[in-house]
Amino acid sequence: MRLSTKGRYAVMAMTDLARKQDEAEGRAVALAEIAARQQISLSYLEQLFARLRRKGLVVSARGPGGGYRLAAEARATRISDIVMAVDEPLRATRCGVGKSGHKGCMAGGAKCLTHDLWEEMGRQIHSYLASVTIADVLEGRLRPEAKVAA
């Protein structure tokens, strides 16, 4: 699986947003504050939050005291939704998808011998991230083996 900085930074920023939003009693949180605390470029965060807003995970508020809020409660916001919102595919294979469906990574479109292994690993990772919410991360309740259901 390849999880680039887009996915990691989006999860970091959303977790920070949830914590600060709770501390500020629901008020919007400025991206500049998140960028400073998480040491992430503000312009990069702006790009990520534009995608998160389009996918309905955050709402923006303009003007003085403006910023972002979670669109849903932290306990209802899954990590997999954040990662997918910033266009981060959770794929572990090097295979692509052709016009006729799945295309393998070998010559002629065949699947490699280990394709099913990597494909299942990708499904397991996605399933795990779908079982974890922002609240779980904030409260230190990561579930390494529980509730891994597709």
Side-chain angles (χ1 to χ4, degrees):
M1 176 192 154
R2 194 189 85 208
L3 182 61
S4 75
T5 55
K6 276 194 271 184
R8 282 195 305 272
Y9 285 2
V11 171
M12 289 168 59
M14 290 283 284
T15 304
D16 184 285
L17 171 62
R19 184 180 58 189
K20 287 301 174 185
Q21 182 178 306
D22 281 349
E23 291 173 4
E25 298 176 356
R27 286 186 311 210
V29 179
L31 281 186
E33 295 173 20
I34 297 171
R37 280 190 299 271
Q38 298 303 316
Q39 300 176 357
I40 301 171
S41 157
L42 177 58
S43 61
Y44 196 56
L45 271 187
E46 288 169 343
Q47 293 172 29
L48 293 177
F49 270 71
R51 292 177 181 192
L52 293 166
R53 186 178 46 78
R54 281 193 299 271
K55 295 293 185 174
L57 294 175
V58 296
V59 292
S60 61
R62 295 183 181 266
Y68 286 88
R69 290 185 198 90
L70 294 178
E73 293 182 9
R75 68 175 184 231
T77 305
R78 300 179 310 171
I79 301 303
S80 62
D81 293 337
I82 297 168
V83 173
M84 298 305 285
V86 295
D87 297 331
E88 200 56 38
L90 294 173
R91 283 189 353 206
T93 66
R94 66 180 184 174
C95 299
V97 178
K99 292 178 183 176
S100 61
H102 244 352
K103 180 178 178 180
C105 59
M106 305 297 285
K111 292 180 184 177
C112 65
L113 291 174
T114 57
H115 175 87
D116 292 338
L117 169 70
W118 306 127
E119 180 111 352
E120 180 58 24
M121 185 182 80
R123 277 195 292 274
Q124 292 291 329
I125 291 168
H126 183 272
S127 186
Y128 172 69
L129 293 178
S131 76
V132 178
T133 66
I134 291 175
D136 294 328
V137 174
L138 285 173
E139 296 168 14
R141 289 188 321 238
L142 299 184
R143 300 170 275 185
E145 71 273 338
K147 297 188 181 185
V148 179

